[in-house]
Amino acid sequence: MALSGSTTSTHTPNSTGGGSWEISDKAKLCRFLCYGSEGALYSTRENGHIRVEKTGALQSMLQEKQGAEVLEEIKRFAQDGQAVRLEPSIFALALCSQNPDVNTKQAAFKALKDVCREPAHLFSFIKYKKELKEHMKCGIWGRALRRALSDWYNEQDAMSLAAAVTKCKQREGWSHQDLLRLSHTKPARDAIALISKYVTKGWKEVQVAHENKENAEEVIRVLSYLEVVEKVKHSRDETEVVTLIEEHKLEREQLLTEHLKFKQVWSALLKEMPLHSVVKMLGRLTSGKVLEPGSSETQFLCDRIQSETALKQAKIHPFSILLATENYKKGHGYQGKPKWEADRNILKAMDSAFYKSFMNVEPVGKCFVVAVDMSGSPSSIVPGTSISTAAAAAAIAMIFARTEADTHVLVYSEEAMVPFSISADMTLKEATDELVKSTRERGAQPSGSAFMLQFQSESRDCTVPIQWATENRKAVDVFVTLSNNPLWTLTASLVESLKKHRETSGANSKLVMCNLTNIGIAIPDTEDRGLLTISGFDLGAFSVIRNLAQDLI
């Protein structure tokens, strides 16, 4: 679930009535900006290359002279943290920047600094521009692009830019040297000129140009910083490298590979390393003996991981903590390397952080029904993670129950939906165990049969939680079904059931069907905008659900 976002509704009622909506071009555009597809399926496995063929709605809106509206959506998704990843927004911006409409093109270049805030984003934008050249009549390096790139560099804070160009030097086949040269950037002030010279000519040229010159304060600060970066690049002394890291807050990307072989270097980096990066690297840090049982480094890390201040500042989501914890528990990386033995104190700190990080989940303020089916193997793993489908389902249900005041968790039984209580003091293990136990006690078959979404039996399909809500007079905004079964078969009765609930409750009800196993999915053939399917589950899935709940996609 994302941590921020607007609640402005953009739904347009269609002619069918009953609370159903058409899937407009704008809705498809928003889906693309959110998760890279205009369709009703969000798959955690789909991280492939974005192609112009996937942007039919976007191109249709541009042809209809709706460029201003398109760009507003691009900026909103890029800035408000609503997107699963930023690449679709960057691609869309590149497409707008090559549109024949002058106003759209100008507005796209003006939005460059708002969408592409990091060098990596900028390099992706240029990459997409080059790829789109094959589909467009215009070229890449026109006056408008050169001006936009010049503005991007000139409007940066000098010290921030100095850090950026030394941390991310090149990406996607492009470098800062390429962009500064091809854009013919004329630095707007001395500090930017210094950085430009450093990137294009090198440190020696900078030294010669400024050694006997009276420099402004901003220039002196940038000079000093770049001198430190150069010094650490040429140092082979562990103590000196550690001192430079601690005194100037240098980051991992600014060091040499051989520096990272030193334990004390990692210890110094840990003090300022972003918490998101720390929790993802626990295995590597343990295998490299940076984190050893009882060491000061381990104690410092445990204190930081459990710090409410640090967690709040990092805005880290509980599901991120859970994924990192389970990955750390398994004791090895990709293809078995590297290997480590999980430290029990670190695991204890991560467990504490999981519950404390619930404070970072901003409520949507909607009524949710989370319906869980664990009739498949509860030990099956969510693809791309180390977490079992049973633990994932329990965690997802717990996150909704603890952050959304109006949440009802249900378990599929043989005959009907059964409410499942998640108390405020219940641990994730207790919730997982109770969920599996509850499923088995109530007649679910722990086999591979499609118990939850097997539509041959009307009492065992996705309409059951909707029927439960209707019968119990619950006006539900979002139904979320979680299943670890591999077989999904969908019929028109699903849409009719959802439509009926809208009519009787007056709620703008939506349904998100999550197949945690990422196997055997059939997407419903419907034009109802209130239905989405999630294949697998990751942190991005929370953003998708949140956006749908707020009528943003």
Side-chain angles (χ1 to χ4, degrees):
M1 188 176 294
L3 305 180
S4 62
S6 168
T7 58
T8 304
S9 176
T10 54
H11 270 149
T12 303
N14 66 19
S15 57
T16 61
S20 184
W21 305 279
E22 293 176 339
I23 306 177
S24 65
D25 280 344
K26 185 175 179 181
K28 292 179 181 178
L29 166 68
C30 291
R31 287 178 178 178
F32 175 78
L33 297 175
C34 178
Y35 53 85
S37 170
E38 295 182 351
L41 170 66
Y42 168 63
S43 174
T44 58
R45 287 184 174 180
E46 282 191 7
N47 289 316
H49 189 68
I50 300 173
R51 299 188 305 273
V52 71
E53 292 81 6
K54 293 183 178 181
T55 60
L58 169 57
Q59 294 183 71
S60 177
M61 290 183 71
L62 292 178
Q63 289 173 4
E64 295 295 324
K65 305 298 183 182
Q66 295 176 288
E69 190 172 6
V70 169
L71 286 162
E72 282 303 311
E73 293 300 328
I74 292 173
K75 288 191 290 184
R76 182 163 63 83
F77 272 88
Q79 294 175 321
D80 293 350
Q82 297 165 355
V84 172
R85 57 193 182 104
L86 196 57
E87 287 296 302
S89 293
I90 298 173
F91 183 89
L93 184 68
L95 192 60
C96 289
S97 74
Q98 300 203 173
N99 190 264
D101 180 70
V102 176
N103 292 332
T104 298
K105 183 184 296 185
Q106 290 177 344
F109 283 123
K110 187 177 180 181
L112 181 65
K113 60 182 178 294
D114 297 319
V115 177
C116 301
R117 288 164 288 179
E118 303 290 338
H121 305 158
L122 196 63
F123 294 142
S124 291
F125 176 76
I126 300 300
K127 176 193 72 172
Y128 289 134
K129 288 277 290 181
K130 183 179 179 181
E131 292 174 357
L132 289 167
K133 181 182 179 182
E134 300 175 6
H135 301 273
M136 305 291 177
K137 295 180 180 179
C138 55
I140 297 179
W141 294 101
R143 184 185 300 173
L145 176 59
R146 293 199 301 269
R147 185 186 304 115
L149 286 175
S150 295
D151 290 344
W152 191 92
Y153 284 101
N154 280 322
E155 293 177 11
Q156 298 283 335
D157 170 77
M159 287 300 292
S160 297
L161 182 61
V165 300
T166 54
K167 286 191 294 184
C168 182
K169 300 176 183 178
Q170 57 185 14
R171 195 76 60 87
E172 308 291 357
W174 295 92
S175 68
H176 290 289
Q177 185 176 31
D178 295 329
L179 301 193
L180 288 167
R181 177 175 55 83
L182 291 168
S183 64
H184 308 303
T185 296
K186 294 181 179 179
R189 56 191 194 278
D190 291 343
I192 303 299
L194 188 163
I195 297 169
S196 178
K197 184 179 285 292
Y198 174 75
V199 169
T200 57
K201 301 293 184 180
W203 175 241
K204 289 185 178 180
E205 289 278 351
V206 170
Q207 285 181 305
V208 171
H210 292 273
E211 60 182 347
N212 295 316
K213 188 176 179 181
E214 187 175 339
N215 298 302
E217 185 178 342
E218 185 181 43
V219 172
I220 293 172
R221 287 201 305 271
V222 173
L223 269 172
S224 299
Y225 183 79
L226 294 177
E227 184 177 13
V228 169
V229 172
E230 286 295 311
K231 189 173 184 179
V232 81
K233 278 169 52 178
H234 294 89
S235 178
R236 300 297 183 272
D237 185 284
E238 180 181 357
T239 302
E240 182 180 45
V241 172
V242 168
T243 300
L244 292 172
I245 292 170
E246 291 178 339
E247 290 183 355
H248 302 279
K249 298 184 178 180
L250 298 181
E251 299 183 38
R252 180 164 52 107
E253 295 82 0
Q254 294 167 308
L255 306 182
L256 301 176
T257 302
E258 61 187 86
H259 292 156
L260 302 178
K261 298 176 182 177
F262 300 136
K263 175 182 174 180
Q264 292 305 316
V265 167
W266 278 107
S267 297
L269 288 171
L270 272 176
K271 295 176 183 178
E272 298 291 340
M273 188 181 293
L275 196 56
H276 284 93
S277 300
V278 171
V279 298
K280 289 179 180 178
M281 296 184 66
L282 290 175
R284 178 176 176 178
L285 293 169
T286 303
S287 68
K289 306 300 182 183
V290 178
L291 300 175
E292 294 186 287
S295 69
S296 59
E297 288 84 4
T298 300
Q299 186 58 54
F300 171 81
L301 182 68
C302 289
D303 291 342
R304 188 181 175 201
I305 288 174
Q306 297 177 86
S307 166
E308 290 190 7
T309 301
L311 289 167
K312 192 171 184 178
Q313 185 177 12
K315 298 181 181 179
I316 197 163
H317 194 281
F319 204 71
S320 289
I321 295 287
L322 178 61
L323 293 175
T325 301
E326 294 303 312
N327 189 58
Y328 183 60
K329 279 182 183 177
K330 73 179 182 181
H332 62 82
Y334 180 67
Q335 294 185 338
K337 295 182 180 180
K339 293 184 178 180
W340 61 83
E341 184 175 343
D343 185 286
R344 63 179 184 178
N345 288 324
I346 293 176
L347 289 174
K348 186 177 179 180
M350 290 290 281
D351 186 61
S352 174
F354 172 73
Y355 300 105
K356 289 180 179 179
S357 62
F358 278 72
M359 66 182 174
N360 290 331
V361 183
E362 184 180 329
V364 177
K366 302 289 185 179
C367 177
F368 286 87
V369 162
V370 181
V372 184
D373 163 54
M374 287 292 108
S375 58
S377 172
S379 62
S380 58
I381 302 297
V382 178
T385 76
S386 300
I387 185 172
S388 70
T389 53
I396 296 163
M398 181 179 284
I399 289 169
F400 278 104
R402 290 197 179 185
T403 60
E404 297 292 344
D406 195 1
T407 294
H408 307 272
V409 180
L410 309 175
V411 176
Y412 274 79
S413 76
E414 190 171 1
E415 300 298 331
M417 299 305 307
V418 179
F420 181 80
S421 177
I422 297 181
S423 61
D425 59 348
M426 184 179 282
T427 66
L428 177 59
K429 185 180 185 307
E430 289 170 344
T432 304
D433 292 344
E434 285 297 316
L435 198 61
V436 173
K437 181 182 177 183
S438 178
T439 302
R440 289 176 175 173
E441 284 182 348
R442 290 179 174 118
Q445 303 171 20
S447 65
S449 63
F451 177 78
M452 176 180 178
L453 298 176
Q454 185 176 357
F455 279 71
Q456 285 82 357
S457 173
E458 191 172 325
S459 65
R460 297 182 180 182
D461 62 34
C462 244
T463 66
V464 180
I466 303 173
Q467 292 168 4
W468 175 91
T470 303
E471 291 168 2
N472 287 275
R473 299 181 181 276
K474 302 288 186 183
V476 178
D477 296 302
V478 184
F479 294 92
V480 180
T481 62
L482 305 170
S483 174
N484 63 357
N485 272 302
L487 179 63
W488 287 39
T489 308
L490 303 171
T491 69
S493 64
L494 179 62
V495 179
E496 291 304 314
S497 181
L498 188 61
K499 182 178 176 181
K500 180 180 178 181
H501 181 71
R502 290 170 181 160
E503 291 173 340
T504 57
S505 68
N508 291 340
S509 306
K510 306 166 188 74
L511 171 63
V512 183
M513 297 163 288
C514 305
N515 186 334
L516 301 176
T517 60
N518 213 347
I519 301 172
I521 292 176
I523 304 172
D525 183 16
T526 173
E527 286 299 309
D528 193 311
R529 183 180 165 186
L531 273 75
L532 280 181
T533 303
I534 293 178
S535 173
F537 208 91
D538 60 7
L539 184 61
F542 283 101
S543 294
V544 173
I545 294 171
R546 182 186 182 92
N547 285 335
L548 183 68
Q550 297 183 110
D551 300 333
L552 297 174
I553 58 175

